[in-house]
Amino acid sequence: MGGNIFYDMKVKKKKNVSMKDFCSFKAGEKVRYMFFPKTEEELIEACDFCRRKKLQVFSLGNGSNLLFVHKFKGAVINMRAFDKIAICQQTLTCGGGVNLFSLNKFCAENGLQGLEFSFGIPASVGGAVKMNAGAFGGEICAFLRKMLVLKDGIIFEKDKFSYSYREGPLEEGEILISATFEFKRGEKEEILAKQREFLEKRRQSQPYSLASAGSVFKRKGDVVPARLIDEWGLKGLKVGGAMISDKHAGFIVNLGEAKPGDILTLIEIVEQVAKGHGLEFEREVKVI
């Protein structure tokens, strides 16, 4: 991961960390600071440091929709240590750093159904809630009941919120500490079977073996970017080590040694072609 470790604070932090190791694109430039809090107190300490230094802050789970194109002079707060899961009947509370694979496994083991559509999405709970991750007609925020968040150094609970397609209920500056979901009871074998079914659908239709950030652009009504990108003959287009997937045109994949600029160039090419057809695509991938 590189960088120097500092021990002047309780929370562990590193300097000049390459995001290549922390984003699902397996590409990314360096960030000035990365914090690794393990407790709420350490999380507050990290945020206080950033506020004093007037640093822009991003919270990080699996990094499945981020692309750091230039060196980021701000700070990234790595939430992966917030990975606990607890259950009470049909209600489940988990840390923002829990990945969806682990959450799905826990749900199956405990007979909680509803989240199977998300099996195979390489996201953390924090990232999934922020963008209201969904697939195959399901959305994660449909099961969300309350959140514990940090904003401006204050931790508080939210149980009233709204969400929409690919837009979750986290507001600007809020970091998800934990989320509480409510599911229905189900049989373990049926849940596992649905998980396998959805995973197989992904493997059949998506470039599952290559590094990517999933769908690059959002759907809008009847406008399906992947279908149009294919129709425009852009499927398989390469720039450096990046390519518009020849399996699913909505994905940009890293063929092995893609630079973040290669990926951004492909994104911008698609956007320019779309504008030529009178359309404006909205990015799902957040470019820093």
Side-chain angles (χ1 to χ4, degrees), residues 193-211:
K194 284 186 178 180
Q195 289 176 350
R196 289 192 293 268
E197 178 187 346
F198 287 128
L199 183 61
E200 184 58 28
K201 284 182 179 180
R202 284 190 166 88
R203 286 176 169 162
Q204 291 295 327
S205 63
Q206 300 173 3
Y208 207 73
S209 62
L210 295 173

Side-chain angles (χ1 to χ4, degrees), residues 128-201:
V129 168
K130 184 174 181 62
M131 67 174 294
N132 187 22
F136 306 116
E139 294 180 320
I140 194 167
C141 288
F143 303 94
L144 184 64
R145 297 297 176 262
K146 61 182 178 181
M147 303 179 290
L148 190 68
V149 302
L150 170 70
K151 185 177 183 180
D152 298 330
I154 299 172
I155 294 175
F156 57 96
E157 190 175 276
K158 293 178 69 170
D159 59 6
K160 289 182 173 60
F161 44 80
S162 60
Y163 59 88
S164 58
Y165 175 75
R166 298 301 180 267
E167 292 290 339
L170 284 172
E171 298 176 7
E172 189 68 29
E174 290 182 345
I175 296 176
L176 182 74
I177 297 174
S178 66
T180 298
F181 302 96
E182 185 177 358
F183 299 106
K184 293 181 179 180
R185 282 291 176 188
E187 296 297 324
K188 177 180 176 180
E189 292 306 318
E190 291 181 7
I191 295 169
L192 288 171
K194 284 186 178 180
Q195 289 176 350
R196 289 192 293 268
E197 178 187 346
F198 287 128
L199 183 61
E200 184 58 28
K201 284 182 179 180

Side-chain angles (χ1 to χ4, degrees), residues 181-251:
F181 302 96
E182 185 177 358
F183 299 106
K184 293 181 179 180
R185 282 291 176 188
E187 296 297 324
K188 177 180 176 180
E189 292 306 318
E190 291 181 7
I191 295 169
L192 288 171
K194 284 186 178 180
Q195 289 176 350
R196 289 192 293 268
E197 178 187 346
F198 287 128
L199 183 61
E200 184 58 28
K201 284 182 179 180
R202 284 190 166 88
R203 286 176 169 162
Q204 291 295 327
S205 63
Q206 300 173 3
Y208 207 73
S209 62
L210 295 173
S212 77
S215 295
V216 176
F217 301 103
K218 297 179 181 180
R219 292 188 181 196
K220 280 188 177 180
D222 295 331
V223 177
V224 182
R227 185 183 303 149
L228 293 173
I229 293 167
D230 191 1
E231 290 176 2
W232 296 334
L234 299 177
K235 184 184 278 190
L237 179 65
K238 296 179 184 178
V239 172
M243 180 179 75
I244 296 175
S245 171
D246 54 7
K247 191 171 186 179
H248 189 306
F251 287 59

Side-chain angles (χ1 to χ4, degrees), residues 35-47:
F35 291 89
F36 300 83
K38 294 182 179 179
T39 65
E40 292 176 10
E41 291 75 17
E42 290 185 356
L43 177 59
I44 291 172
E45 184 182 38
C47 290

Side-chain angles (χ1 to χ4, degrees), residues 47-159:
C47 290
D48 284 345
F49 174 90
C50 296
R51 190 160 52 249
R52 291 196 307 271
K53 295 285 188 179
K54 297 181 179 179
L55 299 172
Q56 186 179 359
V57 176
F58 280 94
S59 59
L60 176 77
N62 274 20
S64 55
N65 66 335
L66 293 174
L67 179 65
F68 285 77
V69 177
H70 302 293
K71 183 172 181 179
F72 181 56
K73 295 181 181 180
V76 169
I77 298 181
N78 191 312
M79 295 293 289
R80 292 182 186 180
F82 289 76
D83 60 356
K84 303 296 186 292
I85 307 176
I87 185 174
C88 180
Q89 296 181 340
Q90 294 171 218
T91 301
L92 178 154
T93 298
C94 62
V98 173
N99 68 63
L100 293 186
F101 286 97
S102 297
L103 186 56
N104 270 277
K105 182 179 178 181
F106 186 92
C107 285
E109 290 294 329
N110 290 275
L112 298 179
Q113 69 175 18
L115 200 63
E116 296 88 337
F117 68 88
S118 71
F119 192 65
I121 296 177
S124 66
V125 168
V129 168
K130 184 174 181 62
M131 67 174 294
N132 187 22
F136 306 116
E139 294 180 320
I140 194 167
C141 288
F143 303 94
L144 184 64
R145 297 297 176 262
K146 61 182 178 181
M147 303 179 290
L148 190 68
V149 302
L150 170 70
K151 185 177 183 180
D152 298 330
I154 299 172
I155 294 175
F156 57 96
E157 190 175 276
K158 293 178 69 170
D159 59 6

Side-chain angles (χ1 to χ4, degrees), residues 1-6 12-23 28-36 60 68 70-72 74 76 78:
M1 292 183 289
N4 300 313
I5 303 177
F6 295 84
K12 178 182 174 182
K13 79 171 188 269
K14 293 187 177 184
K15 287 188 72 173
N16 298 320
V17 178
S18 172
M19 291 305 296
K20 181 178 180 179
D21 301 320
F22 294 95
C23 291
E29 295 298 335
K30 291 182 178 180
V31 298
R32 183 177 178 184
Y33 294 106
M34 183 176 286
F35 291 89
F36 300 83
L60 176 77
F68 285 77
H70 302 293
K71 183 172 181 179
F72 181 56
V76 169
N78 191 312

